[in-house]
Amino acid sequence: MIAIENLKKQFGETTACAIDSLTVNDGDLLGLVGNNGAGKTTLFRMILDLLKPDDGRVLIDGIDPSTSEEWKQNTGAYIDDSFLIDYLTPEEYFAFLAKISSQPQQEMEERLKTMEHFAGGEVLGQKKLIRNLSAGNKQKVGIMSVLLRQPKLVILDEPFNFLDPTSQSILKRMLTDYSQQTGATILLSSHNLQHTIDISTRLVLLEKGHVLQDIENAGKEASEQLINYFEKNV
C-alpha cells in the first residue's frame, strides 16, 4: 500500500524525518508513536503531499503523490481542523463531501446513522457552524468525514485529542470495526499510548525522525517494549 524510501526532511538544523525504508501493508492498522518532535505529523504531511521532502519518496499503491492525483480517490485523512470547511454546518459539510466524491446522498446519510453514538448528540441536528463547535466536536466532524467516504487508506493524526473518555472508547471500536469490515489500511498517530496499543496490529516507534522499532502487535505484545522505552525516557 505505502512504500517509503530514503525519505528525509530538515527544518534548519533539525532533522524532522530520516526514514531509509518503511512499508505499510494493505490492511495494516498501524500506530505511530513517539515523543514530541519524533516526526509523526511531518511524515503524514509528506505522505499526503502537503509537505515536500528534501530527499526520497513516498509511493501509495505505486503512485508518487507529488506527480498524480489518482491516490486521492482512495485516501481519507484528518490532520487538524484546517481540513474542515468551518463556515458550513456538519450536515452541509458531509453533503458537500458526498457531492464531490460522487457518493449518493442517501448512502452517506445511512452511514451517518451508524456514527450517531460517536457524535453524541452534539454534532448533528444542532444547526451550528463547524467553527462554533468545541474542539472535541470539530475533531468528531473531521473523523466522521474521513470514514463516511469509506476510503481504502485512512490517515488520522492524534484522533483521540480533545475527545472525552466515552468518545475515545467509541472511536477505538469504530476504527477496529472499520479495519475488520473493509480491510482498509489505517495509519494513526497518538500520544495516548494505551489506546494506540489497544487497536493497532503494528506499531512504529519514531525518535527524532528515525524509526527505532517496528513491532508486530497482533497479540498486543508491543505493550511491554513501548512502556519500557518511554519509562526510560522520563
Side-chain angles (χ1 to χ4, degrees):
M1 169 59 80
I2 299 176
I4 294 169
E5 303 169 354
N6 301 313
L7 195 66
K8 293 180 174 61
K9 185 65 184 179
Q10 294 263 144
F11 295 107
E13 297 299 315
T14 301
T15 299
C17 185
I19 298 176
D20 294 333
S21 178
L22 180 65
T23 300
V24 182
N25 303 308
D26 287 336
D28 277 350
L29 204 170
L30 188 149
L32 280 183
V33 295
N35 290 314
N36 289 336
K40 302 184 295 296
T41 301
T42 298
L43 175 57
F44 281 169
R45 288 189 174 277
M46 287 193 287
I47 292 173
L48 296 168
D49 194 34
L50 299 173
L51 184 64
K52 299 296 183 186
D54 298 324
D55 198 8
R57 65 176 183 170
V58 173
L59 297 176
I60 300 176
D61 283 339
I63 299 169
D64 184 337
S66 67
T67 63
S68 171
E69 301 284 308
E70 291 181 26
W71 60 280
K72 292 184 178 180
Q73 296 178 348
N74 296 315
T75 302
Y78 184 69
I79 303 297
D80 55 43
D81 62 13
S82 68
F83 277 50
L84 305 174
I85 303 176
D86 68 358
Y87 57 81
L88 300 178
T89 66
E91 287 89 346
E92 290 170 339
Y93 181 54
F94 297 144
F96 169 75
L97 292 177
K99 185 174 181 179
I100 64 172
S101 59
S102 301
Q103 299 209 18
Q105 183 65 34
Q106 186 173 352
E107 280 187 22
M108 288 286 248
E109 290 174 358
E110 289 299 317
R111 290 175 195 158
L112 269 179
K113 289 179 182 177
T114 69
M115 298 185 190
E116 286 180 348
H117 191 34
F118 179 59
E122 298 178 332
V123 171
L124 303 174
Q126 302 303 299
K127 298 182 180 179
K128 282 186 178 181
L129 301 181
I130 292 172
R131 67 181 172 221
N132 294 328
L133 297 176
S134 68
N137 287 330
K138 287 179 184 177
Q139 188 84 343
K140 290 179 181 181
V141 171
I143 294 166
M144 291 165 68
S145 70
V146 171
L147 300 182
L148 279 171
R149 292 180 47 241
Q150 295 196 322
K152 284 173 52 183
L153 173 61
V154 172
I155 296 177
L156 299 173
D157 194 19
E158 298 290 350
F160 300 106
N161 269 8
F162 312 118
L163 300 182
D164 59 50
T166 296
S167 298
Q168 291 179 17
S169 295
I170 296 170
L171 178 58
K172 286 167 64 176
R173 174 51 56 189
M174 282 174 58
L175 293 176
T176 301
D177 288 349
Y178 185 82
S179 174
Q180 293 174 348
Q181 292 167 8
T182 67
T185 304
I186 300 177
L187 278 72
L188 65 91
S189 74
S190 179
H191 284 120
N192 191 314
L193 184 61
Q194 193 56 57
H195 285 344
T196 310
I197 291 170
D198 286 346
I199 66 174
S200 298
T201 58
R202 180 179 164 201
L203 288 129
V204 169
L205 172 62
L206 294 179
E207 182 179 284
K208 296 180 180 179
H210 297 268
V211 175
L212 287 192
Q213 296 184 52
D214 186 343
I215 312 166
E216 292 298 326
N217 191 48
K220 312 309 173 195
E221 57 270 27
S223 180
E224 184 175 352
Q225 294 181 58
L226 291 174
I227 289 172
N228 287 340
Y229 167 79
F230 287 109
E231 285 181 346
K232 289 177 182 176
N233 283 273
V234 172

